Amino acid sequence: MIGQKRRISTIAAAILATSALALAGCAGSDDATDEGAPAADGGTLVVSNWQWLEPGRGDVLWDAVSGYTEANPEAKLTRSETAYGQYADKLNTELGAGGGPDVFVILDSQYATLAEAGLLEPLDDALTDATLNTSNEPMVVDGQQLAVTWEQVPYALLGNKTVLDEAGVSELPGSVDELIEAGKKVKAIGADGFAVRHQMGEFDGWSLDFQSWPLGFGGGWSDGTKLTIDAPENVAAVTAFKEVYDSGILPVGDDASTFRTKFKENQLGMMIDNAGAALSYTSGGQVTGQTLLAAPLPFDEVGAHQKLVLAVNANSKNKALAKDFVSWFVSETGQTAVRPGLGASTLATDVPLTDEFTAEHPWAQVFVDLGASTKGALIPGFEADTKTIMQPVMQAVERVLTQDQDPKAALEQAQSEATR
């Protein structure tokens, strides 16, 4: 992990180059190390997360974290919300200039970048009473805990029971061939069979979603020390993805927002998505906790998980208050408060699902069972460079889909470009 290999990544260097003078000034100032007023004195914390904008779930999550003000009545929380597609770039710009929110939720790929750039506040003194699980270990750098798990969300195959029943599909498929067969049955009743991101216009989301395909075929983009983009297992994964793309079951051209809406409105049979998204489908549409189905991915091996982490801005003027918020978040009270909004995800501690939630959402247990075995989306040995490496990889996959380039040749080209 990052603590084993401290390299200045291309992305981190770009952040530093964007506002080198501002960052240098902040890093050398008293403000960067000043804890600010004691947490008991209160103040206003700006808490940033794109999830605040998610219909239904966003308000549930905000209400949950607002419980901190009951523990510290002198504190006030202000939500900062930016759409997912612009979130990372906006936050990088703000933090690189020495500003930004006090506390923020980020993907682990962005965490790796910000950790390399020295923009995250160590949290060890806020975690002395916490019982963190192993999901937090990747955020330890040089012996310091720079973030905690917000949620770790495995990927699974999701099904809309209403649609599948009408199509005569009795169970979720366990292989790619079965997926295509089931998808064609769904197409026969006028709905789309299967959907997943498949366009460079959604690079951030697609590059994360796609990680489950090479992992599911026993591959991966590195062996921990060198890149293995053109490995036979990865070629097999891209070939299978192309077969699904060409099968006619995929609504080609639909972005995630479009096909997710179709799923909620009983116009789509199956999709691959993560645990956090799964919960959002059971509110605001025709899908309920009883009609949402989940199963392991239709591959021989387990797939990936997304990891979202909670971190504190190293240049916050309210660091003592921000770290007190983190301390509350990892407490039993905080974890119990956010558990309903984060559904079947793995949290910072092993707080269980409630009996009420499990009864209402029987699909959730599949994600809980997968959570211990799925793999992270960061490239081993190249964690901070994952996003940079994934650019030529996903461009290669897109050429296979849209230009019929041979998968082996496409990944060999990506291997060359990424290594160079």
Side-chain angles (χ1 to χ4, degrees):
M1 283 300 177
I2 303 168
Q4 300 170 325
K5 183 174 284 189
R6 297 276 296 170
R7 296 174 291 111
I8 297 296
S9 72
T10 303
I11 306 173
I15 293 176
L16 295 171
T18 300
S19 52
L21 292 177
L23 183 58
C26 292
S29 70
D30 292 336
D31 289 340
T33 56
D34 184 9
E35 291 283 311
D41 289 354
T44 299
L45 282 181
V46 178
V47 185
S48 181
N49 188 352
W50 70 88
Q51 292 175 318
W52 306 148
L53 293 173
E54 292 184 5
R57 193 167 79 124
D59 289 336
V60 171
L61 284 172
W62 181 252
D63 288 345
V65 299
S66 295
Y68 170 65
T69 60
E70 297 179 13
N72 186 354
E74 301 302 317
K76 179 181 178 182
L77 301 185
T78 298
R79 59 200 270 178
S80 173
E81 49 196 28
T82 303
Y84 175 76
Q86 294 78 47
Y87 185 87
D89 288 341
K90 180 175 181 288
L91 186 60
N92 284 349
T93 300
E94 292 173 340
L95 297 178
D102 301 293
V103 185
F104 42 83
V105 174
I106 48 177
L107 289 169
D108 54 358
S109 55
Q110 189 177 12
Y111 158 80
T113 298
L114 298 178
E116 291 276 5
L119 294 171
L120 305 180
E121 176 70 12
L123 302 175
D124 300 271
D125 56 345
L127 304 173
T128 54
D129 295 328
T131 306
L132 301 180
N133 59 31
T134 57
S135 72
N136 299 273
E137 292 177 358
M139 287 83 76
V140 176
V141 178
D142 296 337
Q144 293 182 311
Q145 189 83 44
L146 297 185
V148 295
T149 299
W150 171 263
E151 63 171 331
Q152 183 169 290
V153 287
Y155 282 86
L157 180 64
L158 301 180
N160 182 318
K161 187 176 187 299
T162 302
V163 175
L164 295 180
D165 283 351
E166 183 180 350
V169 177
S170 59
E171 60 183 8
L172 289 173
S175 68
V176 171
D177 288 343
E178 291 176 0
L179 176 69
I180 293 173
E181 181 182 356
K184 289 181 176 179
K185 290 182 179 179
V186 174
K187 285 289 290 184
I189 66 169
D192 289 314
F194 170 77
V196 69
R197 287 187 176 100
H198 56 276
Q199 303 170 98
M200 282 299 293
E202 295 188 286
F203 167 75
D204 284 338
W206 186 26
S207 61
L208 285 171
D209 293 355
F210 189 74
Q211 300 285 24
S212 287
W213 289 76
L215 292 175
F217 279 75
W221 307 123
S222 85
D223 62 7
T225 57
K226 66 178 183 297
L227 296 178
T228 57
I229 295 170
D230 57 352
E233 296 84 358
N234 300 336
V235 173
V238 174
T239 300
F241 195 84
K242 171 68 168 173
E243 290 172 357
V244 173
Y245 184 88
D246 288 343
S247 68
I249 69 173
L250 193 78
V252 173
D254 279 6
D255 60 13
S257 176
T258 300
F259 67 68
R260 283 171 164 175
T261 298
K262 286 183 176 180
F263 187 83
K264 293 174 67 172
E265 300 304 325
N266 294 337
Q267 299 172 28
L268 172 65
M270 297 170 291
M271 62 195 301
I272 289 176
D273 219 328
N274 63 69
L279 181 61
S280 70
Y281 300 145
T282 64
S283 63
Q286 298 179 44
V287 176
T288 69
Q290 304 297 320
T291 61
L292 179 66
L293 304 176
L297 295 173
F299 311 132
D300 290 338
E301 305 290 338
V302 297
H305 61 244
Q306 283 190 30
K307 183 189 286 291
L308 284 67
V309 304
L310 183 70
V312 170
N313 185 349
N315 289 302
S316 168
K317 302 301 188 293
N318 302 297
K319 281 192 283 191
L321 186 62
K323 289 198 283 187
D324 190 60
F325 171 80
V326 173
S327 183
W328 171 87
F329 173 76
V330 298
S331 71
E332 182 178 357
T333 300
Q335 293 283 279
T336 301
V338 300
R339 168 52 91 187
L342 294 176
S345 302
T346 299
L347 305 190
T349 69
D350 291 328
V351 57
L353 296 173
T354 65
D355 292 340
E356 180 182 5
F357 183 89
T358 302
E360 187 177 353
H361 302 277
W363 55 268
Q365 190 60 45
V366 171
F367 284 99
V368 173
D369 294 343
L370 288 171
S373 59
T374 53
K375 299 179 181 180
L378 299 185
I379 300 175
F382 302 85
E383 290 84 4
D385 291 323
T386 294
K387 187 171 182 177
T388 303
I389 293 168
M390 290 306 297
Q391 282 279 352
V393 172
M394 301 316 300
Q395 288 168 348
V397 177
E398 187 174 60
R399 290 195 304 273
V400 171
L401 299 182
T402 63
Q403 300 175 28
D404 291 324
Q405 185 176 6
D406 175 70
K408 186 174 186 296
L411 291 185
E412 286 176 346
Q413 181 179 337
Q415 172 81 17
S416 177
E417 292 174 358
T419 302
R420 182 173 64 249

